[in-house]
């Protein structure tokens, strides 16, 4: 009966493990994230907006052309009376009536304006928009780098849990085999019932640990699917092979970090933007020269009138075309000091940006030094854990031989098994911690998107 229960438990634990899963490589994960991640899509849209803003259509260099048109209609019904007036026959002068006297007017025109000179304001503003576009590209790059770090943080957690799952599965198989051996030994009177009970307790504990790890693995895969914007229930395996960048290549990337770090590059773009802000505001001291032209057509169809007593004057049609050219010069000689204040504030903002650039540069140096030290420490720990696994593997194999010969107890054998299990899971953790530390260092050097992962 106990064997049936154990077999059922194993079936539940391992049932999903034998299903064929697809391999999601690191390269494929990066590709999916770049194509589908919501944060990256939003960043790309921001770059598209900045690209539109830096176009010639938003520069102020093109003329303005305005078309106008209009139409009016009037209908006049009037009666003009002449009280106290008589005609030549001595009769009372009749009223003069005008009914349905219609008048219309139509007009159409084109007006063009062009600024020849505006104190170089639009020139520097155009340059500023170019810098804004370059800054938006750097901001999008920063978003992509942060997303990739988030991606690999989750991806490597899936890989770690997958390897831990395999380790725990092996541990459970060993514990299950112990039950069989303990039962055979008990039947032949070579041990007591206590050995069987100890083995059953270990099987239960190993099964619970495996179930918990499987649940964590499923949850973490859903987290990864959110980053990739994929179906939450997508089933796949991940690549557990880790390659570290050679130290010489890493040192070379560190020396070039000042030229590639995205935070430093953003401060340089902001410096250029602040410099153009000063020049844009200084353009307010200079005059503006512009040209304007117009072309228009008017048609007036007037109604009949009765300006002369007793007579109706018929309406008339008037058709006119007009063309005009002009030039203008506007010089704001004094605007209450507004321009002067804006220029001073722009210079202060530039000085602040200089200070901020120095601060960011110092912080990046610190972060790189810390990241490099963390990476070296974690890589050393990983190497130690690798050796520790070999040591515990040898110890476990010798303990198993001694246990099978009856020279050590099941408790001593279990302790060797636990030591090996802990060494293997610690090695898995150290491996992915070291790789994440390397990726964080690569981001600080500005090379996260340029190296093979």
């Amino acid at each position: 009966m106990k064997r049936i229960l154990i077999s059922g438990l194993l079936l539940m634990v391992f049932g999903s493990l034998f299903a064929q899963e697809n391999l999601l490589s690191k390269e494929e994960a990066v590709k999916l994230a770049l194509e589908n991640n919501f944060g990256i899509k939003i960043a790309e849209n921001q770059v598209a907006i900045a690209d539109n803003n830096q176009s010639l259509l938003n520069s102020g260099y093109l003329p303005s052309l305005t078309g106008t048109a209009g139409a009016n209609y009037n209908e006049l019904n009037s009666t003009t009376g002449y009280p106290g007036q008589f005609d030549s026959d001595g009769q009372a002068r009749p009223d003069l009536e005008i009914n349905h006297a219609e008048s219309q007017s139509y007009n159409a025109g084109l007006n063009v304006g062009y600024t020849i000179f505006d104190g170089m304001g639009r020139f520097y503003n155009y340059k500023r928009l170019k810098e804004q576009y370059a800054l938006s590209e750097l901001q999008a790059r920063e978003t992509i780098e942060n997303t990739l770090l988030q991606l690999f943080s989750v991806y490597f957690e899936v890989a770690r849990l997958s390897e831990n799952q395999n380790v725990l599965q092996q541990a459970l198989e060993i514990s299950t085999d112990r039950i069989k051996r303990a039962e055979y030994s008990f039947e032949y009177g070579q041990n007591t019932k206590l050995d069987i009970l100890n083995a059953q307790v270990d099987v239960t504990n190993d099964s619970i640990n495996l179930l918990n790890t499987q649940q964590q693995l499923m949850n973490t895969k859903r987290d990864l699917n959110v980053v990739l914007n994929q179906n939450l229930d997508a089933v796949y395996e991940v690549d557990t092979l880790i390659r570290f960048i050679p130290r010489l290549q890493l040192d070379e990337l560190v020396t070039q970090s000042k030229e590639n770090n995205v935070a430093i590059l953003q401060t340089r773009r902001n410096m250029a933007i602040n410099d153009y802000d000063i020049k844009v505001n200084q353009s307010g001291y200079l005059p503006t020269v512009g040209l304007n032209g117009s072309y228009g057509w008017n048609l007036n169809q007037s109604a009949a009138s009765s300006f002369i007593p007793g007579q109706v004057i018929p309406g008339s049609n008037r058709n006119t075309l007009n063309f005009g050219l002009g030039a203008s010069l506007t010089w704001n000689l004094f605007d209450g000091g507004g321009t002067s204040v804006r220029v001073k504030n722009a210079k202060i903002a530039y000085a602040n940006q200089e200070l901020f650039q120095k601060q960011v540069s110092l912080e990046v140096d610190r972060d790189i030094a810390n990241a490099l030290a963390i990476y070296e420490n974690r890589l050393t720990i990983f190497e130690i854990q690798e050796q520790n696994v070999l040591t515990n593997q040898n110890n476990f194999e010798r303990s198993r031989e001694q246990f099978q010969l009856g020279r050590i107890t099941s408790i001593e054998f279990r302790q060797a098994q636990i030591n090996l299990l802990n060494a293997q899971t610690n090695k898995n953790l150290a491996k992915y911690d070291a790789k994440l530390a390397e990726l964080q260092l690569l981001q600080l050097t500005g090379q996260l998107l340029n190296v093979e992962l």
Side-chain angles (χ1 to χ4, degrees), residues 338-408:
T339 300
S340 177
V341 170
R342 287 190 292 272
V343 170
K344 290 179 180 179
N345 289 340
K347 289 181 178 180
I348 294 173
Y350 182 83
N352 284 341
Q353 190 61 40
E354 282 185 317
L355 296 174
F356 182 68
Q357 184 181 37
K358 293 178 181 178
Q359 177 185 351
V360 169
S361 179
L362 182 61
E363 290 176 349
V364 168
D365 288 340
R366 176 205 64 193
D367 293 342
I368 289 178
N370 290 344
L372 184 58
I374 291 172
Y375 169 67
E376 291 174 341
N377 181 63
R378 290 183 178 178
L379 192 59
T380 301
I381 292 174
F382 171 56
E383 293 169 352
I384 293 173
Q385 292 291 359
E386 280 188 312
Q387 184 60 45
N388 189 39
V389 168
L390 296 177
T391 301
N392 278 277
Q393 184 70 46
N394 291 332
N395 178 64
F396 174 74
E397 295 297 338
R398 292 176 64 88
S399 297
R400 179 154 58 181
E401 292 176 1
Q402 296 296 314
F403 176 69
Q404 291 174 352
L405 294 174
R407 295 176 182 176
I408 63 174

Side-chain angles (χ1 to χ4, degrees), residues 10-126:
L10 291 176
L11 182 61
M12 289 187 295
V13 172
F14 301 134
S16 62
L17 299 181
F18 297 103
Q20 184 67 31
E21 296 180 339
N22 296 323
L23 175 65
L24 177 66
S25 66
K26 291 186 283 290
E27 293 76 14
E28 181 66 20
V30 170
K31 180 176 179 292
L32 290 174
L34 293 177
E35 291 176 352
N36 302 320
N37 181 267
F38 290 117
I40 292 178
K41 285 186 175 182
I42 292 173
E44 290 174 347
N45 288 337
Q46 294 296 331
V47 173
I49 292 174
D51 189 22
N52 292 333
N53 288 337
Q54 64 137 7
S55 67
L56 185 63
L57 297 176
N58 194 44
S59 66
Y61 277 106
L62 299 179
S64 62
L65 180 63
T66 305
T68 60
N72 292 287
Y73 172 82
N74 288 295
E75 182 177 318
L76 175 66
N77 294 299
S78 67
T79 301
T80 304
Y82 304 98
Q85 298 185 26
F86 302 93
D87 57 16
S88 57
D89 296 332
Q91 300 294 324
R93 187 171 181 179
D95 295 338
L96 179 61
E97 293 185 0
I98 300 178
N99 296 316
H100 305 295
E102 297 178 345
S103 64
Q104 299 91 20
S105 65
Y106 306 94
N107 65 83
L110 291 174
N111 296 286
V112 61
Y114 183 70
T115 301
I116 299 176
F117 180 76
D118 67 343
M120 301 294 289
R122 64 182 173 182
F123 173 77
Y124 292 122
N125 187 62
Y126 186 55

Side-chain angles (χ1 to χ4, degrees), residues 194-214:
L194 181 61
D195 288 330
I196 299 177
L197 294 175
N198 286 335
Q200 289 174 344
V201 169
D202 293 338
V203 166
T204 301
N205 291 332
D206 290 343
S207 300
I208 292 174
N209 291 334
L210 180 56
L211 286 172
N212 287 334
T213 299
Q214 285 180 326

Side-chain angles (χ1 to χ4, degrees), residues 431-442:
K431 177 173 68 171
Y432 296 113
D433 279 350
K435 187 59 181 180
L436 276 177
E438 182 188 81
L439 295 182
Q440 290 167 347
L441 180 60
L442 288 174

Side-chain angles (χ1 to χ4, degrees), residues 31 45 156 228 260 298 306 330 373 421:
K31 180 176 179 292
N45 288 337
F156 289 149
L228 301 177
N260 299 306
N298 290 275
S306 59
T330 303
L421 177 64

Side-chain angles (χ1 to χ4, degrees), residues 189-389:
Q190 296 178 353
N191 59 14
T192 65
K193 187 71 172 180
L194 181 61
D195 288 330
I196 299 177
L197 294 175
N198 286 335
Q200 289 174 344
V201 169
D202 293 338
V203 166
T204 301
N205 291 332
D206 290 343
S207 300
I208 292 174
N209 291 334
L210 180 56
L211 286 172
N212 287 334
T213 299
Q214 285 180 326
Q215 184 61 56
Q216 293 176 7
L217 178 59
M218 292 172 60
N219 293 345
T220 309
K221 282 186 176 181
R222 293 189 186 97
D223 293 337
L224 182 57
N225 286 329
V226 170
V227 178
L228 301 177
N229 189 17
Q230 298 293 301
N231 184 347
L232 292 179
D233 296 323
V235 179
Y236 50 80
E237 292 180 345
V238 297
D239 185 6
T240 58
L241 179 63
I242 294 296
R243 295 183 295 271
F244 292 98
I245 296 178
R247 183 54 192 266
L248 290 177
Q249 181 182 353
L250 200 59
D251 289 339
E252 183 180 356
L253 297 178
V254 169
T255 60
Q256 300 171 356
S257 59
K258 290 288 187 182
E259 300 302 321
N260 299 306
N261 179 271
V262 69
I264 292 178
L265 294 178
Q266 286 186 62
T267 60
R268 292 175 183 172
R269 293 297 180 182
N270 280 319
M271 286 282 293
I273 290 172
N274 283 112
D275 183 49
Y276 286 130
D277 282 338
I278 296 174
K279 294 175 180 178
V280 168
N281 287 306
Q282 286 176 335
S283 67
Y285 292 128
L286 299 176
T288 299
V289 179
L291 292 175
N292 58 81
S294 63
Y295 180 81
W297 166 77
N298 290 275
L299 173 62
N300 290 301
Q301 296 176 339
S302 62
S305 62
S306 59
F307 291 107
I308 300 176
Q311 296 184 13
V312 176
I313 300 177
S316 61
N317 293 338
R318 184 180 183 187
N319 194 338
T320 61
L321 296 173
N322 61 78
F323 175 77
L325 287 175
S328 64
L329 185 146
T330 303
W331 198 339
N332 195 346
L333 299 177
F334 182 70
D335 63 352
T339 300
S340 177
V341 170
R342 287 190 292 272
V343 170
K344 290 179 180 179
N345 289 340
K347 289 181 178 180
I348 294 173
Y350 182 83
N352 284 341
Q353 190 61 40
E354 282 185 317
L355 296 174
F356 182 68
Q357 184 181 37
K358 293 178 181 178
Q359 177 185 351
V360 169
S361 179
L362 182 61
E363 290 176 349
V364 168
D365 288 340
R366 176 205 64 193
D367 293 342
I368 289 178
N370 290 344
L372 184 58
I374 291 172
Y375 169 67
E376 291 174 341
N377 181 63
R378 290 183 178 178
L379 192 59
T380 301
I381 292 174
F382 171 56
E383 293 169 352
I384 293 173
Q385 292 291 359
E386 280 188 312
Q387 184 60 45
N388 189 39
V389 168

